[in-house]
Amino acid sequence: MAGTPASFPQAWRKRTTRGELLLWVGWLALVALFVFCWEVMNENTMWFFVVDAPAQALDLGSRMVPPRWSYLPALMKPLWDTINMATLGTLLAIVMAIPVAFLAARNTTPSERFVRPVALLGIVASRSINALIWALLLVAIIGPGVPAGVVAIALRSVGFIAKLLYEAIEEIDASQVEAVTATGASSAQVIDYAIVPQILPAFAGICVFRWDINIRESAVLGLVGAGGLGLALQDSLNVLAWPQVTVIFVLILLTVLVSEWVSARVRHAII
Amino acid sequence: MTTASPANRTVWRRPPFITDPRLRWAIYGGAVVYLILAFATIDVNWVRVYEGLDRGMRFVRGFLVPDFTSRWSDIAQGMQESLTMTVTSTVVGILISVPIGIGAARNIAPMPVYLFCRGIIALSRSFQEIIIAILFVAMFGFGPFAGFLTLSFATIGFLSKLLAEDIEDIDEAQAEAIRATGAGWWQVVNYGIQPQVMPRLIGLSLYRLDINFRESSVIGIVGAGGIGATLNTAMDRYEYDSAAAILIMIIIIVMIAEYSSSFIRKWVQ
Amino acid sequence: MLRLVNLTKTYRTGDRALTDVSLTVEPGQVVGLIGPSGAGKSTLIRCINRLVEPSSGQVFLGDTELTGLGRGALRRSRRRIGMIFQEYALVERLTVMENVLSGRLGYVGFWRSFFRRFPPDAVSTAYRLLDRVGLSDHVDKRADALSGGQRQRVGIARALAQDPDLLLIDEPTASLDPKTSRQIMRLIVEICDESGLPAIINIHDVALAQQFVRRIIGLQAGRVVFDGPPDQLDETVLTTIYGEEDWSATIRTAHDDDAVDPTEQAEGHDERETPAEILDRERMAGLS
């Protein structure tokens, strides 16, 4: 192999000509798609309003300050409701999600052919629909108020918790399950002794994480009639009471920050 | 070994998770008190719930026999807005997120840039899409343009944060090796960092596309265009079969998006 | 005591792991099962307690035919068969005591085991076994806080807690260093001798097998190709089992207590991944 150096090629390219061409076609298609979507979307856009937006923003800003802090005491009950919707909704979701997760996990499902797809469909359906839409439905069905919010949060969270939990179940160490099975334990005992200890930290982390998200979501559920801070927000928006809106925004922000901090602390303590 | 003869010990208790008994009982007690208070303050209007059962049944029936046809033009318009909003906002969101994400990575950005970019991320992440949508609708008027801005803004917070964390988590040795060849800052980013974070960035972008679609079905409730507005109207008119049709379409599109994005992610990696 | 008759296992992929294996293990007899990787050693011992379902053939434990049992009866029979695993297979996040008590699961009802309220005799047996394997000071520690040798001792105690009639032991020393390997093997053989317990030990370290057991079965491609005392293991036999290789060193070290087959040392690793217990950011970010 002691060839002359001149026999090596002088040009080097990362991709073949064909590959490069395909890449460019791909990018071009993406740009075309974007332009097309942009055109379709803005068919009815009033560009006059868009140009006017900075002025509107300034106007809005001037109306939002100073915040009406005296409104704060009236928000304490909605805040309590918001926290309750998130917490009780999460608890309800956990109760429903645990069996679903065990039915959906490949290694614990009673039937991979029939039961697992049904469980997965339930998970997808729950996850694709935003809590606000669930709330919209539930307010129509069981009437406005905190219960609709609790159920909406729960229905949205079931899919989330079940999905992460079944992935955790599928990742467990099978040899521990084998060892407990080999002692002559029943299936319930195998779950209790071999599976639960392995998924417990993940499970706790998932629940706290979802609770944190639920605090955010339950803060706005009231916009469609399901109790909490969102309801106060809706009332204030209806009468264009922008100084009150500012107070609500600040309160939501604080709540979210606190819940994020709590969830980070708890997850840290568990793991 | 042990002082007592082991065979004499017939009781064993599992060591408690929280070792300090006072703290343990305080936590249990606190949880019980909270639950009692929380349940006590929920007032359920059972009469209303009972009346609602009938509507619930109608809704379930609507799901079994969804009505796509009678409101089809509204649904088509809403879906068109949702889908176009999703695509444009994701693309614009990604384009803005990449520089902000790089700027928010502590290991490659100078301090002032870092703080500025982190500030933008915090601002974008602190409010739900729906609240941002309310503000944008107030500024830009009703319609999908406000929705597009909302989703782009939310995408920035999501993508830049994860991208920045990714860059901070990269294998320093690879960037170091490129730096050692005498490469400039841009070359380090291009050769030492980009290859490491690219697959993840693509994965996250696809995932955000999916989220943006789901969100686009909601922000219509406050007037920012998309299928949410159609859904809201259908609910207001008690047309549960049309509402069910819309929900079914949302679920199907999300499923398609999820499947194809997992497929693309596998292909990229 | 244990009798296998024409045991055959074909996996669903079509791989034939065992072909017509017939053998008998007498009470109190400790059998070493040797053979190359993939010879079917693991499959063989798992077919005995039906963690792997045999395709055909029969397994008798005493007078019971294990192969014909229904679920409940199989569970009751599994209580009589203790099993010790290659990577210990302890439930890592449970305490040492819970791991040992899990050997009693077949004897107690679900709620008793759920609340960890085992009968007094089970608890005292567990204490006695932990004392026997030298772990009295680690009762309340979590299993993942122990060293490899200690974990395998817990695994032994768990198997003995079942009060078994037979021990199945799958590569007990595969993840241990040479010294600990010998201690563990010695412990197992001693315990079997003390209570006249028959055992089948899967082992790929020929020298270790020769040192500790008095009957060796050689498995090659799912068939029994050797069955006899360790001193009959000569170059021809090893070549039948493992294939052509220079066996002089292996045979010599078999008579030398401290020398170690160098290839074994290289394999004495313990790099098993801990189960994913940390929610990694990607999975969390991947959903909302």
Side-chain angles (χ1 to χ4, degrees):
Chain A
M1 277 306 284
T4 54
S7 68
F8 292 115
Q10 297 269 314
W12 173 85
R13 276 188 306 172
K14 193 173 171 180
R15 297 183 177 81
T16 58
T17 320
R18 203 177 120 80
E20 209 155 276
L21 205 68
L22 272 175
L23 200 67
W24 280 110
V25 170
W27 281 114
L28 206 67
L30 200 64
V31 172
L33 178 69
F34 174 76
V35 172
F36 171 75
C37 287
W38 179 263
E39 290 298 326
V40 172
M41 181 181 83
N42 288 319
E43 251 171 13
N44 300 320
T45 302
M46 309 284 258
W47 292 107
F48 169 74
F49 284 128
V50 176
V51 175
D52 193 36
Q56 290 294 329
L58 276 180
D59 182 43
L60 197 61
S62 68
R63 272 192 274 170
M64 284 179 82
V65 285
R68 217 185 115 214
W69 294 115
S70 58
Y71 187 50
L72 206 52
L75 288 176
M76 287 303 119
K77 175 69 167 68
L79 177 63
W80 170 249
D81 283 345
T82 295
I83 295 170
N84 286 343
M85 284 197 295
T87 312
L88 300 179
T90 312
L91 289 178
L92 189 58
I94 292 170
V95 173
M96 295 190 282
I98 292 173
V100 176
F102 276 94
L103 295 179
R106 256 195 203 94
N107 44 0
T108 54
T109 183
S111 152
E112 202 165 323
R113 266 261 187 67
F114 303 105
V115 179
R116 184 164 189 265
V118 174
L120 288 182
L121 183 71
I123 290 174
V124 170
S126 151
R127 270 159 39 76
S128 351
I129 297 177
N130 195 293
L132 267 165
I133 297 182
W134 281 119
L136 198 65
L137 299 184
L138 287 157
V139 167
I141 292 170
I142 61 176
V146 176
V150 172
V151 181
I153 290 284
L155 287 177
R156 170 64 182 84
S157 310
V158 169
F160 179 93
I161 296 175
K163 175 167 172 146
L164 287 175
L165 191 59
Y166 95 71
E167 285 172 351
I169 296 174
E170 286 184 350
E171 276 174 23
I172 59 170
D173 174 12
S175 70
Q176 300 181 24
V177 178
E178 194 182 34
V180 175
T181 312
T183 65
S186 66
S187 353
Q189 288 173 324
V190 172
I191 290 178
D192 178 23
Y193 273 74
I195 299 179
V196 170
Q198 293 194 60
I199 60 171
L200 210 55
F203 172 70
I206 293 164
C207 295
V208 176
F209 184 59
R210 186 64 221 185
W211 174 79
D212 176 20
I213 299 176
N214 283 345
I215 289 277
R216 284 164 176 266
E217 304 228 310
S218 63
V220 292
L221 284 189
L223 287 174
V224 294
L229 288 171
L231 205 59
L233 180 61
Q234 181 72 345
D235 291 344
S236 302
L237 283 173
N238 281 342
V239 295
L240 298 175
W242 290 102
Q244 293 185 17
V245 172
T246 316
V247 178
I248 296 170
F249 281 179
V250 170
L251 192 58
I252 290 180
L253 189 62
L254 284 179
T255 316
V256 167
L257 286 179
V258 170
S259 81
E260 213 163 75
W261 179 78
V262 169
S263 119
R265 278 299 299 271
V266 172
R267 268 187 289 165
H268 195 76
I270 295 169
I271 297 170
Chain B
M1 290 220 177
T2 39
T3 44
S5 168
N8 297 339
R9 298 164 67 177
T10 54
V11 184
W12 175 81
R13 289 281 172 268
R14 184 196 169 120
F17 178 62
I18 304 162
T19 28
D20 182 352
R22 274 171 307 175
L23 182 66
R24 187 162 74 237
W25 289 109
I27 290 177
Y28 292 165
V32 170
V33 169
Y34 167 76
L35 282 180
I36 293 173
L37 282 180
F39 276 110
T41 51
I42 295 180
D43 32 324
V44 183
N45 184 348
W46 290 109
V47 181
R48 178 69 181 75
V49 172
Y50 179 74
E51 286 168 4
L53 288 182
D54 175 48
R55 291 193 201 180
M57 278 317 294
R58 269 175 50 209
F59 192 77
V60 171
R61 238 175 291 142
F63 246 101
L64 296 177
V65 194
D67 178 8
F68 289 92
T69 45
S70 46
R71 294 270 162 218
W72 178 247
S73 63
D74 289 348
I75 296 176
Q77 174 71 23
M79 271 296 165
Q80 180 193 312
E81 283 180 6
S82 269
L83 288 172
T84 51
M85 221 153 73
T86 306
V87 172
T88 49
S89 64
T90 310
V91 171
V92 170
I94 295 169
L95 290 181
I96 304 176
S97 308
V98 171
I100 294 183
I102 294 174
R106 189 66 210 97
N107 51 348
I108 52 171
M111 201 55 176
V113 178
Y114 170 79
L115 289 178
F116 176 72
C117 292
R118 283 282 165 180
I120 295 179
I121 291 174
L123 186 70
S124 152
R125 285 176 57 82
S126 42
F127 285 111
Q128 295 87 330
E129 280 86 344
I130 195 96
I131 290 181
I132 298 168
I134 291 173
L135 292 176
F136 277 146
V137 168
M139 290 182 218
F140 292 86
F142 291 99
F145 190 78
F148 154 76
L149 289 176
T150 306
L151 295 181
S152 307
F153 188 65
T155 305
I156 294 169
F158 176 88
L159 268 185
S160 325
K161 175 161 189 275
L162 293 175
L163 180 62
E165 281 170 8
D166 250 21
I167 296 176
E168 285 168 0
D169 284 348
I170 59 159
D171 178 9
E172 262 306 315
Q174 294 184 34
E176 194 77 337
I178 301 292
R179 207 170 284 135
T181 65
W185 188 86
W186 282 109
Q187 287 168 318
V188 171
V189 169
N190 185 215
Y191 278 79
I193 292 171
Q194 192 198 337
Q196 293 192 56
V197 298
M198 205 56 189
R200 270 269 295 170
L201 180 63
I202 292 174
L204 288 174
S205 304
L206 287 169
Y207 175 53
R208 186 66 215 188
L209 188 74
D210 184 19
I211 298 181
N212 277 349
F213 176 74
R214 280 187 249 173
E215 290 297 333
S216 78
S217 63
V218 175
I219 53 179
I221 293 173
V222 294
I227 192 73
T230 322
L231 183 65
N232 206 1
T233 321
M235 295 297 299
D236 282 346
R237 291 180 185 149
Y238 303 109
E239 293 169 349
Y240 293 137
D241 40 4
S242 295
I246 296 172
L247 290 179
I248 290 173
M249 287 178 74
I250 295 176
I251 294 176
I252 290 175
I253 292 180
V254 170
M255 275 175 84
I256 294 172
E258 233 168 62
Y259 265 101
S260 42
S261 78
S262 74
F263 178 76
I264 295 176
R265 254 179 290 190
K266 263 185 213 133
W267 182 68
V268 167
Q269 277 152 8
Chain C
M1 183 70 224
L2 174 76
R3 197 152 56 87
L4 310 185
V5 184
N6 296 331
L7 204 61
T8 299
K9 171 67 189 175
T10 313
Y11 281 105
R12 238 182 300 174
T13 49
D15 297 319
R16 187 154 243 220
L18 296 175
T19 312
D20 279 339
V21 174
S22 297
L23 56 91
T24 307
V25 179
E26 303 300 336
Q29 192 174 47
V30 178
V31 180
L33 194 59
I34 63 170
S37 311
K41 301 189 303 267
S42 275
T43 308
L44 179 59
I45 68 164
R46 281 173 172 72
C47 277
I48 294 171
N49 62 1
R50 283 174 59 195
L51 284 176
V52 169
E53 204 63 48
S55 309
S56 67
Q58 290 152 306
V59 178
F60 294 93
L61 179 64
D63 297 327
T64 325
E65 188 196 337
L66 299 179
T67 29
L69 298 178
R71 277 172 62 101
L74 173 64
R75 282 219 319 269
R76 280 189 294 281
S77 289
R78 274 181 180 157
R79 303 191 305 207
R80 298 167 57 199
I81 308 174
M83 193 158 176
I84 298 169
F85 292 82
Q86 177 169 2
E87 307 258 10
Y88 333 119
L90 300 183
V91 182
E92 311 247 334
R93 301 185 56 87
L94 292 185
T95 56
V96 167
M97 189 49 136
E98 282 169 296
N99 270 291
V100 176
L101 286 173
S102 70
R104 299 302 295 177
L105 285 177
Y107 295 91
V108 300
F110 175 74
W111 291 110
R112 266 205 115 122
S113 65
F114 182 79
F115 290 109
R116 294 351 186 214
R117 295 282 189 271
F118 285 82
D121 61 320
V123 177
S124 72
T125 308
Y127 272 116
R128 182 174 55 76
L129 289 170
L130 282 171
D131 188 47
R132 174 68 186 84
V133 298
L135 289 175
S136 294
D137 298 335
H138 304 282
V139 174
D140 284 339
K141 274 196 190 154
R142 248 168 56 168
D144 53 8
L146 301 182
S147 72
Q150 290 173 323
R151 289 189 205 192
Q152 196 54 292
R153 287 165 192 273
V154 178
I156 293 169
R158 172 174 65 189
L160 294 175
Q162 286 174 240
D163 191 15
D165 298 336
L166 168 71
L167 278 184
L168 301 176
I169 308 175
D170 189 13
E171 304 278 8
T173 61
S175 4
L176 300 174
D177 66 62
K179 181 164 180 244
T180 320
S181 295
R182 275 152 183 76
Q183 291 170 344
I184 290 291
M185 281 300 286
R186 188 167 292 120
L187 180 66
I188 291 172
V189 172
E190 275 173 17
I191 286 173
C192 287
D193 284 347
E194 278 165 24
S195 40
L197 197 56
I200 299 183
I201 308 180
N202 267 356
I203 190 159
H204 64 208
D205 183 341
V206 177
L208 209 57
Q210 285 175 301
Q211 187 184 341
F212 285 104
V213 305
R214 283 178 295 274
R215 178 183 171 195
I216 287 182
I217 294 177
L219 213 57
Q220 204 270 322
R223 288 173 197 274
V224 176
V225 291
F226 172 83
D227 189 346
D231 48 16
Q232 276 179 24
L233 268 185
D234 54 21
E235 206 152 327
T236 13
V237 175
L238 284 173
T239 306
T240 339
I241 301 175
Y242 289 97
E244 205 67 55
E245 189 48 76
D246 177 12
W247 296 110
S248 49
T250 314
I251 293 169
R252 199 189 62 235
T253 50
H255 307 291
D256 183 352
D257 212 14
D258 297 316
V260 180
D261 186 347
T263 55
E264 288 313 313
Q265 234 164 349
E267 277 174 284
H269 55 67
D270 190 358
E271 55 181 20
R272 144 185 210 175
E273 275 184 3
T274 51
E277 46 188 33
I278 298 165
L279 290 165
D280 74 80
R281 192 161 41 79
E282 171 150 19
R283 262 182 45 221
M284 292 317 245
L287 294 146
S288 85

